[in-house]
Amino acid sequence: MCEVFPSMFPYIAVAGVAALSLTSPASSEMLVSYTRSGGFAGVGETVVVHRDGTVTTGRGRTAEFTLDEARFRDLRQALDGVTTRTSSRRWCNIPDHFTYTLAHRGWRATRCHRLPEDWRPVVTRLEALLRSPARPR
């Protein structure tokens, strides 16, 4: 069971990311969800990739598009390398830190300030999706 970090919830509410909640009815169709929140400006960014390859991002405004087969396969392979599936409060005492939450295959973990090394390939790919221009489905 993962720890819950109450300090993370104000950032999510301020950023308006609640619409992409991990507990939404569509979560059974979810492949992976990633949220980065906090920092000095109270950033809130979320990427949800569904099993059919559709992507929903939240970063100020919502965008939806579908991954091509190669990017989808690359993301799934990166997800296979994730072994850190527990939350940790380490580094949470740093002012204006970022909080990272990753959810995949029934687990959800939150980390503060520093990403576990095995998360980096996945997070790099998911953050690239935040910068992707929305394309029609």
Side-chain angles (χ1 to χ4, degrees):
M1 181 68 64
C2 297
E3 294 179 42
V4 176
F5 296 101
S7 63
M8 156 176 115
F9 294 112
Y11 295 121
I12 292 172
V14 168
V17 183
L20 300 174
S21 169
L22 297 178
T23 59
S24 69
S27 64
S28 65
E29 301 298 321
M30 181 190 78
L31 174 68
V32 62
S33 177
Y34 167 72
T35 302
R36 181 175 78 129
S37 60
F40 180 74
V43 170
E45 302 172 324
T46 297
V47 178
V48 177
V49 180
H50 299 275
R51 294 184 191 282
D52 65 359
T54 57
V55 177
T56 306
T57 65
R59 184 183 194 183
R61 59 183 177 178
T62 301
E64 293 186 25
F65 55 93
T66 302
L67 287 178
D68 62 52
E69 192 173 319
R71 284 180 86 182
F72 190 56
R73 183 177 41 249
D74 185 48
L75 175 61
R76 286 192 321 250
Q77 288 173 346
L79 284 164
D80 288 341
V82 174
T83 58
T84 304
R85 299 175 181 166
T86 58
S87 297
S88 173
R89 294 194 59 83
R90 186 172 187 203
W91 307 106
C92 290
N93 62 346
I94 295 173
D96 302 320
H97 71 272
F98 282 103
T99 300
Y100 305 91
T101 301
L102 190 62
H104 174 61
R105 290 187 180 163
W107 59 265
R108 179 179 179 210
T110 300
R111 296 295 179 116
C112 299
H113 188 65
R114 293 188 181 175
L115 287 172
E117 285 300 317
D118 59 314
W119 285 23
R120 289 187 188 284
V122 172
V123 169
T124 298
R125 287 158 178 81
L126 294 171
E127 287 185 348
L129 296 177
L130 283 166
R131 295 183 295 276
S132 294
R135 297 177 293 276
R137 289 196 213 180

